[in-house]
Amino acid sequence: MIRIFNHYVSRTGFILLLFEMFILHAAASATALLWSGSPRGTADASMTGMLFALVNVFAMSALGLYQQQLREDLRGAMARIPPAFLVGFVLMSALMEVMPAVDLGHAASLAFVLGGACVLMTRLLLFTSAQSDILVERLILIGAGALARECLELAAMRDGPRRFEVVGCVPMPDEERCVPVAKVLKPGESLLTLARRHGANELVISVGDRRNGAYPVRELLDCALGGVRVTDAAAFFEREASQIRVDSLQPS
């Protein structure tokens, strides 16, 4: 279950999920306490707020708002959030029918409007903040040759809401090094250990020749199973530069 969660939810998405659960819980709890001017128990309001937050976070997750590759711009978020809250409204209405303790009263629509506005404001602040470290993806390049140098240059050119920080490059034996010495990571640790120690959430395979017996297939598999994304250089260029790099495609 943890591996599945790590595969579909990025570090950025997880932080967003926690923060948006908090603001949705606050919005629904306040509405449940104040609806129609009638006093309600704090415990009931808190439970209602928690279910409200869980239902809406589930709906937003289903529409990909916390996906692993968080490539949404502000327009994409604006397009997905209203349908997600519509799904949440339907689910929450069904819950209120079968669970009498869960009740937002006649002000249920107010809770959804308030919660939706808070989520939209959160996304607005997040995607318009050029200095937001939450959107910095930390990469480790497997290889230190010419292809790794091009990946470094592409990562350095990325600007805007989603940026990259290349932690370093893991050199392969008998490979001509074309990257700065400062970017070469010292050997001796497994790739999964390196990724966890440096907080990297993606490994980009930028090795030109994979026929070498030292190519770390087993370690890359351990990283994939441990929740660290493993991406081929060709897929990285296609994803970030909208280019198909024929010279980096592998016959396998």
Side-chain angles (χ1 to χ4, degrees), residues 6-243:
N6 286 334
H7 179 74
Y8 287 103
V9 179
S10 66
R11 179 188 63 171
T12 304
F14 181 65
I15 297 174
L16 273 175
L17 185 149
L18 291 179
F19 183 74
E20 289 176 351
M21 275 196 67
F22 172 77
I23 60 177
L24 288 170
H25 179 274
S29 297
T31 305
L33 282 170
L34 300 174
W35 76 278
S36 299
S38 300
R40 293 176 57 86
T42 304
D44 286 348
S46 180
M47 184 180 69
T48 299
M50 180 57 67
L51 284 174
F52 177 84
L54 288 173
V55 164
N56 284 288
V57 164
F58 171 78
M60 288 191 289
S61 300
L63 269 70
L65 285 166
Y66 303 110
Q67 61 190 353
Q68 178 69 270
Q69 297 178 6
L70 189 65
R71 296 181 53 78
E72 292 280 3
D73 55 10
L74 184 58
R75 182 179 300 177
M78 293 289 187
R80 291 189 184 197
I81 289 175
F85 272 84
L86 179 60
V87 173
F89 182 81
V90 173
L91 294 176
M92 196 67 188
S93 298
L95 279 176
M96 288 191 293
E97 288 293 329
V98 299
M99 298 177 64
V102 179
D103 187 16
L104 290 170
H106 298 295
S109 57
L110 176 62
F112 279 91
V113 170
L114 182 60
C118 291
V119 170
L120 285 173
M121 184 62 66
T122 300
R123 299 280 172 150
L124 177 65
L125 293 175
L126 179 68
F127 287 109
T128 56
S129 175
Q131 303 301 320
S132 180
D133 291 336
I134 195 176
L135 293 176
V136 177
E137 298 283 343
R138 295 174 66 83
L139 311 178
I140 289 180
L141 303 181
I142 309 302
L147 188 56
R149 182 186 61 201
E150 293 185 35
C151 291
L152 269 174
E153 293 171 353
L154 176 60
M157 286 174 12
R158 288 288 300 177
D159 197 6
R162 187 168 182 265
R163 294 170 286 126
F164 294 106
E165 178 186 348
V166 178
V167 174
C169 305
V170 179
M172 294 290 104
D174 302 325
E175 181 184 38
E176 182 183 359
R177 297 187 185 180
C178 303
V179 301
V181 177
K183 283 294 183 181
V184 177
L185 296 176
K186 294 180 181 180
E189 292 181 302
S190 69
L191 294 180
L192 184 57
T193 302
L194 274 176
R196 288 176 174 171
R197 183 160 63 85
H198 292 285
N201 50 2
E202 185 173 8
L203 301 180
V204 178
I205 306 173
S206 53
V207 181
D209 185 4
R210 303 184 187 179
R211 295 170 294 181
N212 191 325
Y215 181 67
V217 177
R218 184 84 173 190
E219 292 187 35
L220 290 171
L221 180 60
D222 290 339
C223 290
L225 294 176
V228 181
R229 292 200 307 274
V230 178
T231 306
D232 188 78
F236 181 69
F237 272 97
E238 183 178 357
R239 188 184 78 194
E240 302 302 334
S242 300
Q243 299 176 357

Side-chain angles (χ1 to χ4, degrees), residues 147 207-211 232 234 245-252:
L147 188 56
V207 181
D209 185 4
R210 303 184 187 179
R211 295 170 294 181
D232 188 78
R245 296 296 305 272
V246 179
D247 58 341
S248 64
L249 293 176
Q250 300 293 323
S252 60

